[in-house]
Amino acid sequence: MGLPIIKIITLFPMLLPLWERRPLEETDTFPSDYPTAVAEQDVPRQRQGLKHGNRDLRGTIYRHLREMDLPASRKVLADSLATEQDARLVGTILQQLSFCTTMPDVDMKALDARLKDSDSDIRYWAIRLAGHIPKFPAKRLADLAANEPTSRLRLAAAQALQERGTRLRLTVLRPLWNHADPVVSAASLATALRVGGASGRAVRIPRE
């Protein structure tokens, strides 16, 4: 009577190498959700999935767009920052954009709105992303490090300044050297050392 259809489906990935005359590979027994090879022409299907998919599917697509690491996929990810309405997925988009090895053109108005969001997790990833965008003003990062009400977000902004390194001006860092938050103060001093060995001018050491 032959094998039941369910068994044929189960065995098919293991029979495929024989058909292709190659050795059995791990991905044959544990296939992934997505193809191992993707191209620019695959991106429109991802964009369509964002229009019709539920939260879980859209979250998976956002991560996959970043993993594809193609100009077209990065553009779709960046465009979604201005269109996605689900707050949880906005955080996912910001996170995945901050992980991009090549930064796409991000809508600065959309990013600015996320930096002012009431959700601290969204603001955190917006700060992380802003730190990776060369045209984002260092002064804005310094203001966030100084004035963000949440400690871990102040630290994120201070670390973003650290990543700018020698491209910074000491005048941007100086207001942070004596910040009430010791983490911000220490991070800005460490950055100043990288910029120009300015720690000696950073603080006034009290005399005995």
Side-chain angles (χ1 to χ4, degrees), residues 38-66:
V38 291
E40 295 279 348
Q41 59 265 29
D42 298 314
V43 174
R45 284 183 290 177
Q46 305 287 2
R47 189 187 288 273
Q48 284 299 114
L50 293 175
K51 293 180 180 179
H52 306 292
N54 59 21
R55 172 188 286 173
D56 290 340
L57 177 59
R58 298 204 310 279
T60 300
I61 291 174
Y62 288 137
R63 288 188 289 272
H64 189 227
L65 286 168
R66 194 266 304 172

Side-chain angles (χ1 to χ4, degrees), residues 71 74-78 97 100 102-107 129 133:
R74 291 191 293 267
K75 183 180 186 309
V76 173
L77 189 59
L97 283 171
C100 285
T102 301
M103 189 56 57
D105 187 16
V106 174
D107 185 333
L129 174 58
I133 299 175

Side-chain angles (χ1 to χ4, degrees), residues 28-42:
D28 295 317
T29 52
F30 298 98
S32 64
D33 295 331
Y34 295 104
T36 56
V38 291
E40 295 279 348
Q41 59 265 29
D42 298 314

Side-chain angles (χ1 to χ4, degrees), residues 11 17 23-24 35 42 56 69 71-72 74-75 77 87 99 123 136 142 159 167 169 171 173-174 179 185 189 196:
L11 289 173
L24 182 69
D42 298 314
D56 290 340
D69 198 24
R74 291 191 293 267
K75 183 180 186 309
L77 189 59
F99 290 164
R123 295 202 311 278
F136 190 87
Q159 289 175 330
R167 293 172 291 171
R169 294 179 179 273
T171 52
L173 296 170
R174 188 171 288 116
H179 196 278
S185 177
L189 286 169

